[in-house]
Amino acid sequence: MLRSLAAAGLAILAAACTPAPAKPAGEAPASAEAPPASYPVDEAVAEEPAKTPDIGERGGMCGGIAGFQCKNANDYCAMAPKACVEIADAAGVCAEKPVMCAMDYRPVCGCDGKTYGNACGAAGAGVSVAAEGECAE
């Protein structure tokens, strides 16, 4: 039985390694054949791109010169650290206020001029970070 399996394996290997028969003269090679008239459409490609969130929606723009507010009461206008101090009319992105934060004490000064225990605590209060460390009094 082992010999018959080995012989069958060699036969398959030999068939796979044998070159394809040559086409008669005058026939075009396979690579020169015309492509099909239409290709199937991949459904994932045919979908519309993801929609950008509207101004004031979670993930959408807030702040800026127009002072756009976040529409959801559980969101706040998250800005890059120091943006509210260094950039006039800074814009941010509406983000969800954290519900729970670690109790580690790494004070930050919020854009509202108040000191918070850490950046998460400031975000929980709906405030972006103006600077590392406590606010100057």
Side-chain angles (χ1 to χ4, degrees):
M1 177 159 174
L2 190 54
R3 282 187 183 176
S4 62
L5 287 175
L10 287 175
I12 292 171
L13 183 59
C17 295
T18 305
K23 290 198 176 215
E27 279 190 40
S31 61
E33 292 177 9
S38 66
Y39 292 96
V41 176
D42 184 9
E43 302 231 356
V45 174
E47 292 178 9
E48 291 185 28
K51 184 180 176 223
T52 304
D54 290 332
I55 292 173
E57 296 292 330
R58 186 167 293 160
M61 189 189 104
C62 56
I65 196 166
F68 294 116
Q69 299 294 311
C70 297
K71 295 177 182 176
N72 187 332
N74 294 325
D75 290 351
Y76 78 107
C77 191
M79 296 182 195
K82 302 179 184 179
C84 62
V85 175
E86 297 176 349
I87 303 170
D89 300 321
V93 175
C94 291
E96 186 174 11
K97 294 177 187 175
V99 179
M100 293 176 46
C101 295
M103 297 302 294
D104 58 333
Y105 187 71
R106 291 182 295 186
V108 296
C109 183
C111 289
D112 61 356
K114 295 180 182 175
T115 299
Y116 294 90
N118 56 37
C120 182
V127 179
S128 292
V129 175
E132 297 287 325
E134 295 182 7
C135 298
E137 304 251 351

